Amino acid sequence: RTYTTEPGDGPNAPSKLSAKAGMNRVVWNLNREPVPGVEGLYTFGSLAGGTVKPGTYTARLRVAGLDPVETNVDVRDIPQVASEVTAADYAARDDLLAKITATLTQLHGGVTDIGSIHEQVDAVVERTSESTDSARIEAAGKALTDSIAAVDSMLVQRNWHNGQDPTVFPTRLNQFLIYLHGAVADTPGAPTESMRKRYEELTRQWGAYQGRVQWILGPGVADFNRLLEELGVPQVGTGKKLVS
């Protein structure tokens, strides 16, 4: 887990660390780094990272111009849990949490990337609206943004803005993964067989959409850019946060 005095902006920025003259204090809640999110997207539930398993961890303080200072931190289980949960149980839980986090990171990265493409295409269409080639650019742009909107609408729910909206608008794939992550993180022992099967099911669903995301970021953008190049219009670019 990283805390810094300069965390930056966005949902994936590190945790804020305050530093002022005198004594400073930071409390680590024993959670790992949060699961990467999507800018501006409402989440029903938590993207907090799972609690670390018992063991020895290193706390490292870095201050500009000084050598890092380190100390060890022992994380122990409460006795009631320690007598029932084995090291293998913790390893199994950590393994599934890591897999869910990786899938959510891919999904949210893909949503962020195709969202960026959508914004860039809209900007190109607007900038060229008065040109003689505006109709061609608008038609090609609409074909690409329609594909983006169709995929986006199945991966995330953008009509959620508060805790009541999930009762009105359907749950999408990322949210099912978030629910599962929370359930596994809150389980003190090994994940259940139903949790593992649910993850496999959701991963298969993501695999089907991942191919469509990669098409948008690859051939879809390439086709649109070829038209822009032919017409002498600046092309759109991909940030490609998606983990392939």
Side-chain angles (χ1 to χ4, degrees):
R1 189 73 181 271
T2 299
Y3 298 83
T4 175
T5 55
E6 300 178 354
D9 300 320
N12 304 322
S15 300
K16 174 70 174 179
L17 178 67
S18 60
K20 55 188 177 181
M23 186 71 72
N24 290 272
R25 181 183 184 186
V26 60
V27 178
W28 175 39
N29 60 4
L30 304 184
N31 284 350
R32 299 182 185 277
E33 291 289 349
V35 178
V38 176
E39 184 77 39
L41 185 69
Y42 177 82
T43 299
F44 189 73
S46 175
L47 291 174
T51 305
V52 298
K53 61 186 178 183
T56 301
Y57 297 85
T58 299
R60 183 176 296 107
L61 174 65
R62 291 190 178 91
V63 179
L66 300 176
D67 292 333
V69 178
E70 296 183 357
T71 188
N72 288 336
V73 178
D74 289 328
V75 175
R76 301 176 183 177
D77 233 335
I78 58 176
Q80 297 94 320
V81 174
S83 62
E84 300 175 359
V85 181
T86 67
D89 291 335
Y90 276 116
R93 189 196 67 167
D94 278 7
D95 179 65
L96 184 54
L97 281 176
K99 290 177 179 177
I100 299 171
T101 298
T103 301
L104 268 170
T105 300
Q106 288 182 333
L107 190 157
H108 285 164
V111 167
T112 298
D113 281 348
I114 63 177
S116 172
I117 296 301
H118 199 307
E119 292 176 358
Q120 292 180 70
V121 171
D122 286 345
V124 169
V125 171
E126 183 178 355
R127 285 198 311 269
T128 59
S129 61
E130 309 242 340
S131 72
T132 56
D133 300 304
S134 61
R136 291 179 65 190
I137 295 174
E138 182 178 0
K142 185 176 185 306
L144 183 54
T145 56
D146 282 352
S147 295
I148 292 172
V151 175
D152 183 270
S153 68
M154 298 308 295
L155 296 179
V156 297
Q157 178 54 268
R158 295 191 180 274
N159 290 316
W160 287 6
H161 304 288
N162 56 60
Q164 298 301 314
D165 286 337
T167 65
V168 180
F169 301 101
T171 303
R172 296 309 188 197
L173 182 57
N174 82 311
Q175 197 65 57
F176 285 121
L177 284 160
I178 291 171
Y179 293 156
L180 180 60
H181 185 278
V184 175
D186 291 339
T187 300
T192 64
E193 185 61 25
S194 62
M195 289 176 177
R196 295 190 182 93
K197 289 182 177 179
R198 183 59 171 155
Y199 170 69
E200 292 173 358
E201 177 186 350
L202 295 175
T203 301
R204 284 193 294 271
Q205 293 179 35
W206 163 235
Y209 290 114
Q210 186 178 21
R212 295 172 64 178
V213 170
Q214 290 173 332
W215 179 88
I216 291 169
L217 297 175
V221 171
D223 289 344
F224 185 67
N225 277 339
R226 273 192 289 271
L227 173 63
L228 298 184
E229 183 179 20
E230 174 190 334
L231 301 177
V233 177
Q235 301 175 21
V236 303
T238 60
K240 290 193 176 180
K241 297 178 179 64
L242 176 66
V243 179
S244 58

